[in-house]
Amino acid sequence: VQLQASGGGLVQAGGSLRVSCAASGRISSSSVMAWFRQAPGKERDFVAALSWSGGSIGYADSVKGRFTISRDNAKNTVYLQMNSLKPEDTAVYYCAARTGVVTSNANAYDYWGQGTQVTVSS
């Protein structure tokens, strides 16, 4: 599985941004796609994940109500719509994939994209 993240950029606090992750290779109904983020000097944190079948979705508490993860099966693409952005959302956002159940554990994901920078100015 190859993952290509895109859509990052610079946005003011309170604004919105959508990042995308295009997947190629073996994506099936048992796949799980996730977004993680890593700020400078910090660990990589879970943001959101969904099962490709659509039966399960999970969010980090810090983004609930502001971020929405979704997928386009026809395009093999996962999106992360980010609204009401805050400066603390500034990070490199990575998409990841695995087979199995939705989990927030980064070590459980086998495939990673290259990351896209999201910067939120105050």
Side-chain angles (χ1 to χ4, degrees):
V1 175
Q2 292 80 44
L3 304 174
Q4 181 72 38
S6 62
L10 173 65
V11 64
Q12 289 188 332
S16 298
L17 201 62
R18 188 179 78 165
V19 290
S20 303
C21 177
S24 59
R26 294 186 61 183
I27 299 296
S28 69
S29 60
S30 60
S31 297
V32 172
M33 303 291 290
W35 287 97
F36 289 80
R37 66 186 182 186
Q38 188 167 19
K42 295 188 176 181
E43 295 184 350
R44 190 168 296 189
D45 292 330
F46 172 74
V47 177
L50 59 69
S51 60
W52 201 251
S53 65
S56 182
I57 291 180
Y59 292 95
D61 288 342
S62 59
V63 306
K64 280 181 182 176
R66 300 188 299 123
F67 291 11
T68 302
I69 188 171
S70 63
R71 76 198 189 286
D72 184 329
N73 287 15
K75 295 182 178 180
N76 267 11
T77 299
V78 173
Y79 304 99
L80 185 68
Q81 177 67 42
M82 303 180 286
N83 299 327
S84 302
L85 282 161
K86 306 174 182 180
E88 51 263 44
D89 293 318
T90 295
V92 176
Y93 283 70
Y94 296 91
C95 58
R98 69 184 302 265
T99 299
V101 299
V102 168
T103 177
S104 61
N105 182 2
N107 292 327
Y109 288 82
D110 302 304
Y111 307 98
W112 291 85
Q114 85 287 4
T116 185
Q117 176 71 48
V118 172
T119 303
V120 184
S121 63
S122 57

